Amino acid sequence: MKCYFCKKEIKKEDAYMWIHTTKSGKEYKRYCCNLEEKEQHERDVELYKKCQYETDAILGRPITNNARNKELQELHEQYSWEQIFRCIKFKADDIKQMIEYNDIKGDYQQIRYMMQVIKNVIYDFSRDDERN
């Protein structure tokens, strides 16, 4: 059997099992390597949602354009969700002011500008994490 998260082969007797209930009410047994891996995945999902909410707040409305989610996933290939979220929170006011100052119109243009600012400063956040 394979781990639900990392897809590694695991023995059923060594795996951590939990019951997953779908939206329709069906229950399934799911297995992963250990409880810590499941908890880390849940923390990552929560931080990803927080990143989405924070970017919605920056633009002052829910973002329906999928470009934001693609760019967040690209950032996650190099950085943790915690680093991404802290960077977004830190730069939120600056991004709002610059979008307004530069009179950037359109969802896609605003999203691209916001994500570019985040990409430009997140390296410094990751360096600070390494030093600490």
Side-chain angles (χ1 to χ4, degrees):
M1 96 177 354
K2 288 189 177 187
C3 172
Y4 183 75
F5 303 114
C6 68
K7 309 300 184 216
K8 290 181 186 173
E9 286 291 329
I10 52 175
K11 293 180 182 176
K12 190 172 185 176
E13 59 270 7
D14 295 336
Y16 176 77
M17 188 274 298
W18 77 98
I19 304 294
H20 172 76
T21 306
T22 64
K23 291 179 182 178
S24 62
K26 290 185 180 182
E27 291 185 347
Y28 294 97
K29 289 182 181 178
R30 293 218 170 136
Y31 298 88
C32 66
C33 294
N34 52 48
L35 177 61
E36 291 79 27
E37 186 176 30
K38 180 180 182 287
E39 289 173 343
Q40 180 62 45
H41 176 75
E42 289 170 351
R43 280 191 299 274
D44 286 348
V45 168
E46 186 63 31
L47 282 167
Y48 175 67
K49 288 179 182 178
K50 285 182 176 183
C51 289
Q52 289 177 317
Y53 294 137
E54 192 64 33
T55 54
D56 287 349
I58 288 171
L59 298 185
R61 64 188 178 283
I63 298 172
T64 57
N65 188 319
N66 203 30
R68 182 255 329 253
N69 296 337
K70 283 184 178 180
E71 301 234 12
L72 285 173
Q73 290 296 337
E74 286 176 15
L75 276 173
H76 183 57
E77 290 172 9
Q78 290 184 307
Y79 303 101
S80 72
W81 286 117
E82 179 68 35
Q83 290 169 325
I84 296 168
F85 178 68
R86 285 188 312 111
C87 181
I88 292 170
K89 283 286 272 189
F90 181 76
K91 295 304 284 182
D93 290 336
D94 293 340
I95 294 169
K96 285 179 197 176
Q97 289 174 353
M98 293 306 292
I99 286 174
E100 192 174 306
Y101 177 78
N102 291 319
D103 197 28
I104 300 172
K105 302 288 185 205
D107 277 357
Y108 183 74
Q109 289 79 9
Q110 290 178 347
I111 292 167
R112 291 288 298 144
Y113 181 83
M114 172 177 56
M115 295 308 296
Q116 194 58 50
V117 169
I118 293 165
K119 285 179 182 181
N120 288 342
V121 297
I122 195 165
Y123 178 75
D124 294 334
F125 276 82
S126 66
R127 294 293 305 244
D128 290 344
D129 287 346
E130 288 174 13
R131 282 186 230 132
N132 294 335

